[in-house]
Amino acid sequence: MGPDELKGLIRTVPDFPKSGIQFRDITTLLAHGEGLAGSIKQMAAIARSLDADAVAGIEARGFIFGTALALELELGFVPLRKAGKLPVETIGEDYALEYGTARLELDPTLVSDGEKVLLIDDLLATGGTAIAGARLLRRAGAVVEHALFVIDLPELGGARALADETLKTHSVISFEGH
Ligand SMILES: O=P(O)(O)OC[C@H]1O[C@H](OP(=O)(O)OP(=O)(O)O)[C@H](O)[C@@H]1O
Ligand SMILES: Nc1ncnc2[nH]cnc12
């Protein structure tokens, strides 16, 4: 399945979780066999040119696509978890996203110095989440140059914010008009 067909499988829910947010719901894509496989194949086609040693995914939706992509590329998967979930010493970053605030945490022993890590999430909106993830991985010694998403919402300025942090944005689908 190509990007346009994949886009057609994403459900838009107005005013969730807050008034004014157009929520791009991936659950309808996940429940569709060809859609799920197609989204991973499209991500893998992009990722193969990015020369990664490992894949990192952001809880929760980034775990779904990140793990599947890591399997497809035969790379390890590094979880960036929401606060308070990891049973070991962590490093953390607080951040703001399109509709709230949160904290991501990483076990820094999961990455090694100079390891090239590809950052994965389902969706790029303001970029707050992805920037927090990249900062954590870099603090742990990883080299993070690229972030790959299923969906980009360009009007929310995420790619510009990522570029300011020297991160290149890649995505399968783009929704003009958030
Ligand atoms: O670019 P941003 O403005 O930072 O927004 C993007 C983030 O928002 C969503 O996560 P959410 O925090 O809703 O968590 P979930 O994956 O647990 O649903 C989405 O999965 C991204 O991680
Ligand atoms: N508009 C949106 N739809 C789905 N997930 C999101 N995360 C941040 N903004 C979002």
Side-chain angles (χ1 to χ4, degrees):
M1 267 194 168
D4 286 345
E5 285 168 288
L6 296 171
K7 189 171 177 177
L9 293 172
I10 292 163
R11 176 165 58 190
T12 298
V13 181
D15 300 319
F16 180 87
K18 286 183 176 170
S19 172
I21 304 289
Q22 290 275 82
F23 191 82
R24 305 298 182 177
D25 180 15
I26 56 155
T27 59
T28 40
L29 169 71
L30 295 176
H32 191 286
E34 282 176 52
L36 178 57
S39 59
I40 300 306
K41 285 187 187 125
Q42 294 285 336
M43 291 178 94
I46 297 169
R48 282 198 183 91
S49 67
L50 301 179
D51 188 31
D53 299 323
V55 169
I58 300 176
E59 186 174 357
R61 289 175 253 159
F63 283 7
I64 301 166
F65 295 100
T67 311
L69 180 66
L71 279 165
E72 180 81 17
L73 300 176
E74 296 189 45
L75 295 176
F77 176 77
V78 177
L80 291 156
R81 294 221 62 179
K82 296 274 167 63
K85 301 289 187 182
L86 287 167
V88 292
E89 204 169 306
T90 59
I91 54 174
E93 289 272 342
D94 297 306
Y95 62 94
L97 67 152
E98 190 188 4
Y99 41 64
T101 58
R103 178 177 177 81
L104 279 181
E105 291 178 346
L106 168 68
D107 167 4
T109 68
L110 297 180
V111 295
S112 42
D113 255 357
E115 190 174 8
K116 285 178 272 177
V117 178
L118 173 62
L119 182 63
I120 299 296
D121 206 352
D122 67 317
L123 179 143
L124 175 65
T126 64
T129 308
I131 288 169
R135 285 182 180 166
L136 279 179
L137 291 160
R138 286 170 171 173
R139 280 169 61 192
V143 174
V144 189
E145 291 183 343
H146 301 279
L148 170 59
F149 306 87
V150 183
I151 303 165
D152 181 19
L153 308 181
E155 289 182 8
L156 290 169
R160 272 196 310 278
L162 266 58
D164 289 345
E165 299 266 329
T166 67
L167 268 175
K168 294 188 189 75
T169 296
H170 309 267
S171 62
V172 176
I173 296 165
S174 177
F175 277 95
E176 303 299 331
H178 70 276

